Amino acid sequence: MTIERKIREHLHEEAQTMECPPAISKRIEQSYSHYLQRKRSEITIKKRLIGGLVAAAILIPTAAFAAPVVIDMLTRAPMTSEQVKLDEAGKATLEKLYGAIPETQSFEIINASYLGDPNDSTKKVQLSIVLQEKGGTGKKITLHTNGITDEIQDLTQENWEPKEKPLITLPDQEIKGKVDQLIDKLYGNIKDYEVAMEQMDNPDQKTFILNYTKKGSVGEGYQVFVQGNSISLALVDFEPSNAEVEGYFSRDGKPDYYADNFINDEKLFALLKMSPTELKEELAKGKSVVEVAASKNISKQQVIDVIARTQAEGQLQDGKNKVTISDDLLKQTMKEIEPKVVHVIEHKTETEWK
């Protein structure tokens, strides 16, 4: 453990027993306000967050008093349908949805909320909207929008197929066609993406995962889960890895970098007591990460927990400016990431990402 990390952890521990002076609380609030205003002027955000959960990175002059205040400032508050229609991000989201899927114009907003500053409803980090056909039993769609860029980060479309013939019962290519159509309607240029489709090892319910990667990029694209009668779509943008070892798996004779974002985890290497190179050599023999772990008497759940925690912390923090994450928020994020982790650690190199 580095001295910087020791100091940071000590300060966070001390912060829990300290009472934050009003003057410092005010400075923190001002820093947060300046942060949001600055971000609103930016056109794009470099790193998108998976699962619809986002957290602001806050520049604070006095670190010891930061954690308790930050957690209080970022909360989720309900919104009425009228508030959504009057909100800047809300209007932008609905316009995009109505333009892409015109029939949703007749849907009712049955639930909505925002993540942000409870003392200032204009400062929204994320907006969530749920719409459903009138009557409450038909088609339903849930969206999460970045409150700063107005970009739809992820959505879940439910019950678009008849109950007697749900989506998951359709042929694979027909399922892919419907996902292609949804992405093209919302974001366009589906021809610019390559897709890998694979059925997950889920004994409880048939599930497909589709990874769309923009041609020429390392990991920019979309990740989609198809289960039951629903499609869950999220934007992803895995930044190039700085790790010495890459391409743990391959596709069509070429390195497939999708899994690298999950496997290049120092805590995973420590758990397995292996170097990245040693792990890659074992995977090249046709083993999965789960099988490698089992050979060392390490359970699948242990592997999941280590990787999911790293991924969750990465989503809720921005790498440079750390914020304290509540246990509940961390556990919730880990739970949402877990299916993606399972998909990677159960994969074998002789099996293509179909």
Side-chain angles (χ1 to χ4, degrees), residues 151-265:
E151 178 181 57
I152 297 176
Q153 296 172 306
D154 66 81
L155 66 92
T156 299
Q157 179 179 282
E158 302 174 72
N159 303 326
W160 243 254
E161 301 300 319
K163 288 184 178 180
E164 58 272 16
K165 192 177 182 181
L167 181 65
I168 204 67
T169 63
L170 302 179
D172 294 2
Q173 286 304 308
E174 194 169 340
I175 292 175
K176 177 184 174 298
K178 290 184 178 293
V179 176
D180 286 353
Q181 187 178 47
L182 177 61
I183 294 175
D184 201 49
K185 285 181 177 179
L186 281 166
Y187 301 103
N189 302 320
I190 189 65
K191 294 181 179 179
D192 293 341
Y193 293 82
E194 298 175 324
V195 61
M197 179 176 180
E198 183 178 13
Q199 183 174 345
M200 295 180 63
D201 184 11
N202 186 347
D204 299 322
Q205 189 172 16
K206 186 178 180 182
T207 304
F208 283 102
I209 181 171
L210 295 87
N211 290 308
Y212 289 79
T213 306
K214 190 172 184 178
K215 297 174 183 177
S217 74
V218 174
E220 178 185 350
Y222 311 97
Q223 188 171 72
V224 185
F225 282 84
V226 177
Q227 187 178 65
N229 207 9
S230 69
I231 298 174
S232 296
L233 163 67
L235 277 69
V236 295
D237 190 0
F238 295 127
E239 297 178 350
S241 171
N242 294 322
E244 295 180 4
V245 176
E246 294 183 323
Y248 287 92
F249 297 115
S250 62
R251 177 158 57 102
D252 299 328
K254 299 178 181 179
D256 189 329
Y257 298 107
Y258 169 74
D260 290 5
N261 181 66
F262 295 88
I263 298 178
N264 276 326
D265 187 329

Side-chain angles (χ1 to χ4, degrees), residues 64-349:
F65 293 103
V69 179
V70 172
I71 293 174
D72 289 340
M73 290 171 65
L74 293 177
T75 61
R76 183 165 290 283
M79 298 177 70
T80 65
S81 59
E82 288 304 314
Q83 287 175 323
V84 172
K85 294 173 184 177
L86 294 174
D87 180 79
E88 183 178 337
K91 287 191 294 183
T93 300
L94 292 176
E95 287 175 3
K96 291 175 185 176
L97 176 64
Y98 296 158
I101 311 175
E103 66 179 295
T104 58
Q105 294 183 54
S106 64
F107 285 20
E108 297 177 308
I109 297 176
I110 61 172
N111 193 14
S113 62
Y114 74 90
L115 181 70
D117 185 346
N119 298 315
D120 189 345
S121 61
T122 65
K123 297 173 183 177
K124 299 177 178 66
V125 178
Q126 182 201 72
L127 184 67
S128 300
I129 309 173
V130 183
L131 303 96
Q132 191 169 37
E133 276 187 315
K134 292 182 179 180
T137 58
K139 299 176 180 179
K140 182 178 178 181
I141 192 163
T142 302
L143 307 102
H144 295 94
T145 296
N146 187 304
I148 300 167
T149 66
D150 298 336
E151 178 181 57
I152 297 176
Q153 296 172 306
D154 66 81
L155 66 92
T156 299
Q157 179 179 282
E158 302 174 72
N159 303 326
W160 243 254
E161 301 300 319
K163 288 184 178 180
E164 58 272 16
K165 192 177 182 181
L167 181 65
I168 204 67
T169 63
L170 302 179
D172 294 2
Q173 286 304 308
E174 194 169 340
I175 292 175
K176 177 184 174 298
K178 290 184 178 293
V179 176
D180 286 353
Q181 187 178 47
L182 177 61
I183 294 175
D184 201 49
K185 285 181 177 179
L186 281 166
Y187 301 103
N189 302 320
I190 189 65
K191 294 181 179 179
D192 293 341
Y193 293 82
E194 298 175 324
V195 61
M197 179 176 180
E198 183 178 13
Q199 183 174 345
M200 295 180 63
D201 184 11
N202 186 347
D204 299 322
Q205 189 172 16
K206 186 178 180 182
T207 304
F208 283 102
I209 181 171
L210 295 87
N211 290 308
Y212 289 79
T213 306
K214 190 172 184 178
K215 297 174 183 177
S217 74
V218 174
E220 178 185 350
Y222 311 97
Q223 188 171 72
V224 185
F225 282 84
V226 177
Q227 187 178 65
N229 207 9
S230 69
I231 298 174
S232 296
L233 163 67
L235 277 69
V236 295
D237 190 0
F238 295 127
E239 297 178 350
S241 171
N242 294 322
E244 295 180 4
V245 176
E246 294 183 323
Y248 287 92
F249 297 115
S250 62
R251 177 158 57 102
D252 299 328
K254 299 178 181 179
D256 189 329
Y257 298 107
Y258 169 74
D260 290 5
N261 181 66
F262 295 88
I263 298 178
N264 276 326
D265 187 329
E266 291 298 330
K267 293 179 181 177
L268 173 63
F269 302 143
L271 176 67
L272 299 176
K273 296 181 180 179
M274 301 176 70
S275 69
T277 301
E278 290 172 334
L279 178 56
K280 183 175 180 178
E281 290 173 350
E282 289 299 304
L283 297 179
K285 297 175 183 177
K287 299 179 182 178
S288 66
V289 175
V290 172
E291 290 174 337
V292 173
S295 69
K296 294 175 172 288
N297 295 318
I298 296 170
S299 70
K300 175 180 174 180
Q301 192 59 50
Q302 285 177 285
V303 175
I304 292 172
D305 291 343
V306 164
I307 299 177
R309 175 176 288 273
T310 298
Q311 293 291 317
E313 290 174 345
Q315 288 185 29
L316 298 170
Q317 297 175 337
D318 80 338
K320 292 182 179 180
N321 303 301
K322 302 295 184 180
V323 296
T324 298
I325 305 169
S326 69
D327 287 341
D328 287 343
L329 180 56
L330 182 61
K331 290 177 181 177
Q332 179 184 354
T333 310
M334 288 174 63
K335 189 67 176 177
E336 294 188 1
I337 293 171
E338 187 170 308
K340 300 172 184 178
V341 176
V342 171
H343 172 62
V344 170
I345 65 176
E346 289 184 342
H347 184 72
K348 296 183 180 181
T349 196

